[in-house]
Structure formats: structure tokens, C-alpha cells
Amino acid sequence: MSGRGGKDSLLKGGLALAWMLAASPCWAQSVSPDAAPGFAAQQSVAQDAATTPNVPPVQDAAPTSAQPVVSPPASAETQPAEPSRHTGHHGAEEEPGIVVSSRPLAPDPGRAINQASFAVTQAIDNAVLEPFSKGYEAVVPSPVRDGIHNALYNLREPVIAANFLMQHKIGKTAETVARFVLNSTIGLAGIFDMAKRKPFRLPFRENGFADTMGFYGVPNGPYIYMPLFGSTTLRDLTGRIVDRAALPLAIGRNVLPTAAVVPMIVLGIVDRRVVNKERLRQEKEAADPYTTTRDNYLRRRADQIEGLRHPHGEGEADKKAEKEKEG
């Protein structure tokens, strides 16, 4: 980590940690020990396992020939609509990015099988997930939905911090650790995202082992569309398996009673469907939904990896986002 942005990031993380150490006696009196971040440990596994055409990952495969890449004419297949951002939540799925890159998209050798999986998933979404998520939005108040979302995402922070460390981004590692401690204590097991508020202003940043592999140049490998799970690549699927295996070790294997596992899984699936409803709607309405979904995913992933490798204007982007929230 280098440059002014890295120093600012490290300073923010350090100041937040110092504040927490100074205030720890107060927390001990005001926060119950039972309010630890065990709210939905095992659920986080299912949160991504159900509706993942969203998970923004990367495209790092090198061009297969010496000829320059020429952008094809605009069409539903090569120019997917940019999804709207879901207000109130701040997960990776909500940060669409349009990538301007000469790198090719991942190969799709199993297109026929992928399209069959896509058709099955769409049928289930139309019949079950979409109606259920609409009912969830209609019945559950927005503050409650936000609290559930925040608690689920808070459980990811230890894995995110570990991956920032592996990417030698010390400032973001410190910020992520500070976010986790703040939200797990004064944020009541992550229900309230106190870390993003004043005076901390520590935004949620997505990361995972797939991003770390991309950061070090591991290519996508073939594109895969898994039933219910959604879009992924060989690299991203491998990274997800590692992340999900690490999460129980980081949080604890027996955090939730068995009877609570299924409700937590359902909440994770529905939360993800609500967060990504606009993007999913636009992809369904495209002239070629399968190709649009695939290319949207691969471009988001390419944008994320490029941002890790060559961050630019990150501090200004965070300030702008904060002003928009306040406005």
C-alpha cells in the first residue's frame, strides 16, 4: 500500500481502533456478551449460494492472439443494461461497474449446459423467489430488512480482512477489522452499521479469496452457470469454497442452533434477491437474458479485480458516496 490514499486508509483504521480501545469499558457495561457476531454465521454460506448472478468478480485472462481486441457493435449481448443501485445496503452486488478493457471475457465451453441451468434457475425465480421477495419487502419494514442485511454482511468481515492482508493492503485491513469490532459491539452483532457513520466513516468493501487470486493474476477459467447458485467461473467458484470453509473457522462452528439454520438460509437468499432486484429485472428483459447475465457478471468481476490492482480516485469516490447519503 502506498500513496496518500493508502496513508489516509491506514490512519482511519488506526484511529477507529484507538477509539474502540479507549471506549471499551463503556461497551462492557452497555453491550451484552450475548450480542456477539454470531447472529447468522452459517447463513452467510447460503446467502451467496442461492442467487449469485451478482457477485462481482474479474476477468484477467490474457488475450489469446496478438490481434487487437475490437469492440463489437452495441447489442443486448455485448452492452448489457447497467443495474440500478439498491438504496440502504452496501454489498458488492450493488456496485455495478462498466469495464473498459482489452481483456477478453471468460470462455464459455459449456454453454449448452449453462443455458439449461440458467433456464431452470429462471423458472424457480419466477415461480418462487421473486414473489416471495416481493412479499418480504411488502411485509417487513425497511429498517428491519436493513438490520438483517447488515448482520449477514458483518459476518463476512473477518474473511474480507484476511484477503486485504493477503493483498498487502494494510490500511484496508485495519479499516475492515475496525468495522467488524465496531459493528459487532455497539452495532449489536452488526444489525446497525455504526462504522459507516460519523465519526468513523468506514464503508463496507467486498473482498474474497477469488479476488486475491485475481489480484495475483490467476485467470478466470471457464464461465459456469450453476442451478440456483448462478454465475461464476472456475476461479471464483474455488475462491468461494475457500471463503465458506474459512468462515466457520473464523466465527465458530456452533454459533447457531440447528433449528435456526434453515430460517437464516432463507433470509440470506431473500435478502440477496431484494438487493439485486433491479439488475435481475433488467437482465430478464434483455433480448438475450443468458448472454446479458453472463457478460454483466464477467464485466463486474473484471472491474473489481482491476480496482484492486490499480486503485484510483478511491478516496474521492468514498467522499462523494458519503455526501450523497447525507443529502
Side-chain angles (χ1 to χ4, degrees), residues 18-233:
W19 183 93
M20 290 184 292
L21 290 173
S24 58
C26 298
W27 298 345
Q29 298 175 6
S30 60
V31 179
S32 169
D34 295 331
F39 177 66
Q42 299 176 15
Q43 182 292 335
S44 182
V45 177
Q47 180 180 358
D48 285 342
T51 322
T52 311
N54 329 318
V55 184
V58 191
Q59 174 48 33
D60 294 326
T64 56
S65 68
Q67 297 180 353
V69 178
V70 179
S71 299
S75 68
E77 177 169 344
T78 60
Q79 301 292 334
E82 181 175 354
S84 302
R85 187 167 183 167
H86 176 76
T87 58
H89 299 326
H90 307 286
E93 299 75 20
E94 316 136 52
E95 310 233 2
I98 300 301
V99 178
V100 180
S101 173
S102 61
R103 300 193 200 102
L105 297 175
D108 189 3
R111 182 183 178 106
I113 297 175
N114 287 338
Q115 285 181 311
S117 297
F118 180 80
V120 170
T121 302
Q122 291 302 297
I124 294 174
D125 184 76
N126 291 335
V128 180
L129 292 181
E130 184 176 10
F132 194 87
S133 67
K134 286 181 178 179
Y136 174 75
E137 278 193 285
V139 173
V140 180
S142 178
V144 176
R145 298 199 309 269
D146 288 348
I148 292 171
H149 174 93
N150 292 338
L152 298 176
Y153 271 63
N154 186 58
L155 292 169
R156 298 183 180 189
E157 301 279 14
V159 172
I160 292 172
N163 280 280
F164 274 131
L165 185 61
M166 286 189 281
Q167 296 157 15
H168 50 82
K169 297 181 181 294
I170 307 303
K172 288 187 177 59
T173 301
E175 286 189 11
T176 305
V177 171
R179 273 187 55 84
F180 181 67
V181 176
L182 283 167
N183 289 338
S184 297
T185 52
I186 62 175
L188 301 181
I191 294 175
F192 301 100
D193 191 350
M194 305 300 295
K196 75 177 180 181
R197 305 179 185 180
K198 296 178 182 179
F200 311 109
R201 295 182 180 276
L202 299 174
F204 176 84
R205 293 186 176 93
E206 185 65 82
N207 208 338
F209 191 66
D211 300 287
T212 298
M213 288 192 288
F215 178 82
Y216 287 106
V218 177
N220 275 317
Y223 173 77
I224 305 168
Y225 194 95
M226 301 180 67
L228 297 180
F229 183 87
S231 291
T232 188
T233 61

